[in-house]
Amino acid sequence: MIKVPSSKSRLSNDDAIYRQLSRDACCDQPRSEYLCQAEFDRIEQLRPLERFELKRVYRQLAPPTISEVDAEYGAVMLSQGGGLSTTIVRRAFSSQGPWIGKGFRPLTVTQGEGYNVFGDPYDRQIKLLMDTYIAQSNVAEGTAYILDYRQRNRGAICWLRGELRVLSENVLLGFGTFGPWRNSLRRFRRSIPFLLYRTGASVLPLSSTHAA
């Protein structure tokens, strides 16, 4: 875990964003100066969709390149297949504090790294670091931008594999799959749809940091 000291310069543009996000369960209300009105509208269109409908949208999208994902993003948890399932998943994602987003940066043409952001604008914490790369999607045909927690963490988080595709210039549609990585056991996986929207620059060089 890395505690990130708040700074007036960073908060000057993002304070209102993160204040709102920290009040909402799993960052339900997107706030970003980077999004145009069409992107806000698109997020609202996806919010009521069920998981199978979100998968249909996801299958029509293309993955970003490693170099294109170099930013910090706010998070929106989408429908998890019913009110009870959505509540359980949202609470699980907030078990280490209010989850307010993710950040990424490229390391090479084929590899990158990322992190999750928890807390609020005055006590931001970087946790659950990950490796990123392009590989086969678990959700659709073709490839996706993969979030792999196995080399930098221990415990149940290593069963989670995230993946992203591009919804618009500043918005990524994601799916987590929780369960066995082996394809022969894929029937035991749980899919978890979410959205990421750009809020600013990624905050840290993480390549020398390996921590849960």
Side-chain angles (χ1 to χ4, degrees):
M1 178 186 72
I2 306 167
K3 294 197 71 172
V4 182
S6 60
S7 67
K8 291 184 179 179
S9 60
R10 177 172 178 81
L11 291 175
S12 60
N13 290 329
D14 292 346
D15 192 27
I17 300 172
Y18 289 114
R19 280 182 180 276
Q20 180 64 43
L21 292 177
S22 66
R23 286 197 298 267
D24 295 320
C26 281
C27 317
D28 277 343
Q29 301 299 325
R31 299 286 187 273
S32 174
E33 63 187 28
Y34 291 87
L35 270 62
C36 66
Q37 187 58 49
E39 289 174 317
F40 281 112
D41 293 343
R42 186 62 171 139
I43 292 173
E44 291 306 311
Q45 291 170 0
L46 294 182
R47 194 187 296 278
L49 298 186
E50 296 299 331
R51 279 188 301 169
F52 76 92
E53 296 172 306
L54 292 166
K55 286 181 179 180
R56 287 178 183 170
V57 174
Y58 187 80
R59 289 169 183 148
Q60 299 172 4
L61 306 177
T65 65
I66 292 294
S67 62
E68 288 173 332
V69 187
D70 187 6
E72 192 165 288
Y73 295 80
V76 176
M77 187 67 72
L78 298 173
S79 173
Q80 304 301 316
L84 179 59
S85 296
T86 298
T87 298
I88 291 172
V89 171
R90 287 180 174 180
R91 289 189 176 183
F93 267 65
S94 295
S95 62
Q96 301 196 41
W99 178 49
I100 61 176
K102 296 178 182 286
F104 308 96
R105 73 168 191 144
L107 295 176
T108 68
V109 173
T110 59
Q111 294 181 314
E113 61 186 354
Y115 56 89
N116 286 273
V117 187
F118 295 85
D120 61 51
Y122 301 101
D123 187 23
R124 289 163 43 83
Q125 295 183 355
I126 300 296
K127 301 180 182 180
L128 303 179
L129 310 185
M130 69 194 82
D131 298 307
T132 65
Y133 50 85
I134 304 299
Q136 179 63 42
S137 169
N138 277 348
V139 178
E141 293 184 1
T143 59
Y145 181 99
I146 304 302
L147 320 181
D148 186 341
Y149 293 92
R150 292 175 296 175
Q151 298 302 313
R152 303 199 184 206
N153 301 275
R154 294 183 296 273
I157 189 63
C158 296
W159 285 59
L160 181 64
R161 179 187 194 259
E163 58 179 78
L164 303 170
R165 286 185 171 181
V166 178
L167 188 67
S168 68
E169 180 181 1
N170 297 301
V171 183
L172 301 169
L173 179 57
F175 269 87
T177 50
F178 185 81
W181 279 64
R182 291 175 55 185
N183 281 331
S184 60
L185 299 174
R186 60 183 177 273
R187 66 184 180 277
F188 298 112
R189 296 171 183 161
R190 167 81 184 189
S191 60
I192 304 168
F194 61 94
L195 277 168
L196 298 179
Y197 59 94
R198 188 186 304 269
T199 57
S202 58
V203 297
L204 290 174
L206 301 175
S207 56
S208 62
T209 304
H210 292 259

